[in-house]
Structures are given as C-alpha cells and as structure tokens.
Amino acid sequence: MKSVKLKNSLLVFGLLIACLAICPKTMAQDTEITSEELTQYAQVTAKIDSLKADMKAKISESVKSNELMDGGRLYNKLNKAKGDEAKMAEIGATEEQLAAYAEIQAGIEAFKAEFKEQYTTVVKDEIGTGTFNKVKKALKADESVKAQYDDIVASLTTVSDETEGEE
C-alpha cells in the first residue's frame, strides 16, 4: 500500500516538475510583444489621441460659443461649484444661464459617449481588444518594450512630419 502511495506521489511530483518546466515557456509566448503589435498599438493610440483632441475642441467650442457663458468664464465658475446649491447661488447666474449650462453639460456627455464608442471601434477594428490590452500592460511592466515602443512612435512621428511637409 505504501508503495502505491509513493508511486502516486512521485507521479504527481513529476507532473508538477514537467508543468513548471513547460508553463513559463507557454506564458512567455503569450505575453511576447512583436514589433508589428507595437506599431499597430502606436497607430491606434495616435488615432485615439486625434479623436480625443476633436472631442475637446467640440467641448471648448460649445462652451465658448454660448453667449450666456461669457466666453466660458461663467461656465468655469458654475463647473467649479459642482452642483453645490449655495455656491451656485453665490455665483448669481440667471435661470436662463443655468439652463444653458445644463444644456452644455448634456452636450458634453454626448461628446464623451461618442468618443467612447469611437475609441472602442478603433481598438476592435485596428488591433483587437486582446492585443491592445496585452501591449498596454507590457508597456507598463517592461522598460525594454517601452523603449522599443518609443522608438516606433518617434519613427512614425518623423514619417508623419515628412508627409505633412510634402503637402
């Protein structure tokens, strides 16, 4: 009986050793980042940055173009009050200005929802969510991957600058 238990224990121990020998290689293959993935990630990130800049420009325009917001100054005051009734009253905004502020806030939420949808679509269509997250995680965890990524971004920026100069 002891012999069977010993054989079973040795078998389990052997399987454990084999798994430890194989598993790190398998895990390393899953997390290895290729230059192609880094390039795709850089391109997607550039598109996302462009989408974000467009959203910010739309928000800024909606605030500054509203004549009731005094070029954005009243909007900023109301925004800093963060809905605190006492602070809002202290500002002395009219009902019409408060309604305009609420309308702008609703517009901002719509811009953010649109950005989020576009962001998700770009990631899914251009690189895939799994690869995007894998590269993002690797960039935070591995300095050599980050350095390689920075080189790729610099080369893409150089190509972009040269292309713009030709126009």
Side-chain angles (χ1 to χ4, degrees), residues 30-33 37 40-41 120 122-138:
D30 290 344
T31 58
E32 189 173 310
I33 306 296
E37 289 171 328
Q40 287 175 325
Y41 184 87
T120 303
V122 167
V123 169
K124 285 181 181 177
D125 292 350
E126 303 284 330
I127 192 172
T129 306
T131 302
F132 183 85
N133 290 335
K134 178 176 83 167
V135 173
K136 186 176 180 178
K137 184 178 178 182

Side-chain angles (χ1 to χ4, degrees), residues 22-41:
I22 295 170
C23 289
K25 291 179 185 174
T26 304
M27 289 181 351
Q29 289 171 353
D30 290 344
T31 58
E32 189 173 310
I33 306 296
T34 66
S35 292
E36 181 182 350
E37 289 171 328
L38 286 172
T39 301
Q40 287 175 325
Y41 184 87

Side-chain angles (χ1 to χ4, degrees), residues 48-63:
I48 290 169
D49 289 346
S50 176
L51 291 171
K52 189 182 292 181
D54 288 347
M55 177 190 66
K56 287 181 178 183
K58 288 176 183 177
I59 290 171
S60 179
E61 179 59 27
S62 72
V63 170

Side-chain angles (χ1 to χ4, degrees), residues 13-25:
F13 182 72
L15 288 172
L16 179 63
I17 295 297
C19 183
L20 289 174
I22 295 170
C23 289
K25 291 179 185 174

Side-chain angles (χ1 to χ4, degrees), residues 32 58 70 83-84 94 106 140 154:
E32 189 173 310
K58 288 176 183 177
D70 189 27
D84 181 321
T94 66
K140 290 179 183 177

Side-chain angles (χ1 to χ4, degrees), residues 42-158:
Q43 291 167 338
V44 166
T45 302
K47 285 181 182 180
I48 290 169
D49 289 346
S50 176
L51 291 171
K52 189 182 292 181
D54 288 347
M55 177 190 66
K56 287 181 178 183
K58 288 176 183 177
I59 290 171
S60 179
E61 179 59 27
S62 72
V63 170
K64 290 179 181 176
S65 68
N66 188 304
E67 57 201 38
L68 296 173
M69 291 294 112
D70 189 27
R73 287 179 285 282
L74 180 59
Y75 173 86
N76 289 335
K77 289 177 185 176
L78 292 170
N79 208 38
K80 285 180 184 175
K82 300 199 186 288
D84 181 321
E85 294 297 325
K87 289 180 182 179
M88 297 285 271
E90 198 175 291
I91 293 169
T94 66
E95 287 298 319
E96 189 180 21
Q97 289 171 321
L98 292 173
Y101 172 78
E103 187 177 311
I104 290 170
Q105 287 300 98
I108 289 171
E109 290 307 312
F111 292 140
K112 288 179 179 180
E114 179 185 2
F115 168 75
K116 186 176 180 180
E117 184 179 311
Q118 291 172 335
Y119 177 103
T120 303
T121 300
V122 167
V123 169
K124 285 181 181 177
D125 292 350
E126 303 284 330
I127 192 172
T129 306
T131 302
F132 183 85
N133 290 335
K134 178 176 83 167
V135 173
K136 186 176 180 178
K137 184 178 178 182
L139 288 171
K140 290 179 183 177
D142 188 336
E143 286 298 319
S144 65
V145 171
K146 176 77 170 112
Q148 186 180 359
Y149 174 76
D150 290 342
D151 290 343
I152 289 170
V153 169
S155 69
L156 290 175
T157 303
T158 302

